[in-house]
Amino acid sequence: MILETERLILRPWEDADAEECYRYAKDPRIGPIAGWPPHTSVENSLEIIRTVLSAPETYAVVLKSTGKPAGSAGIMRAGQGSAPMAETEAEIGYWIGVPFWGQGLIPEAVLCLLGRCFDSLGCTAVWCGYYGGNEQSRRVQEKCGFVPHHTSEGVSPMGDVRTEFFTRQTKAQWRAFCEGASSAPGAKAAP
C-alpha cells in the first residue's frame, strides 16, 4: 500500500532504506524518548527494517522533495502496540528525524493514517500514546484531534519505568475534527 499527502509518500520500508533509516534513528533524541534504543549501525537498521518495520501497515515517511525516508509511521491492530485496543480499534505510532521536527510532517502523516483507519480499515476508534516528557509527540496528537484518555505506569521497552499517556479518537470525533478543520479560515481539511 502506498499513501500520498501534499508533501509525503507513505510506502513500505525497503532494504535500500537502511542507510537513511540509520541516519536518523541513530540519534539519541529519537528512539529513547519513544521507548526504543538508538540504532547502532546501518546493519542494525536493516535488521529492524526486515523485522519491526516490515509489519503490515508500517510505512516509511518519504519526503516528496527528496524521495528519501525521514521517519516512520504505522498502524497497529489489537494484539500489537501498547494501547488497550478492542478488535475494531487501532493504534498509530510514529517518529521522524530531528532535522524535520517542527515542520508538521508527522501530523500530516498521522492525519493520512487516521483517514485510512476510519475510511478503509473500518476502525471505530484509534489510539495513540507518548511517554512523559515527549512534548513533540503530545503536540502531534493534539494537532490531529486525539483526546486524552488515561495514563499508565509501566516498564518501557528500554527497561525503565515510565508514565505513558494514552490518547484516543473515535470515528465520530474524527468526522467532527475534519469538519472543524475544513471550516476554519485558511485551513485545509484532513484527508
Side-chain angles (χ1 to χ4, degrees), residues 23-46:
R23 177 187 317 270
Y24 303 115
K26 70 181 178 183
D27 192 313
R29 293 172 288 178
I30 303 287
I33 200 162
W36 45 270
H39 293 195
T40 57
S41 65
V42 173
E43 293 75 23
N44 178 227
S45 290
L46 177 59

Side-chain angles (χ1 to χ4, degrees), residues 13 20 29 35-36 38 41 49-50 63 89 91 101 126 143 148 157 159 186 191:
W13 283 91
E20 288 301 308
R29 293 172 288 178
W36 45 270
S41 65
I49 286 170
R50 290 178 174 173
L63 303 174
E89 298 177 343
E91 180 179 356
W101 286 4
V126 178
K143 289 176 185 177

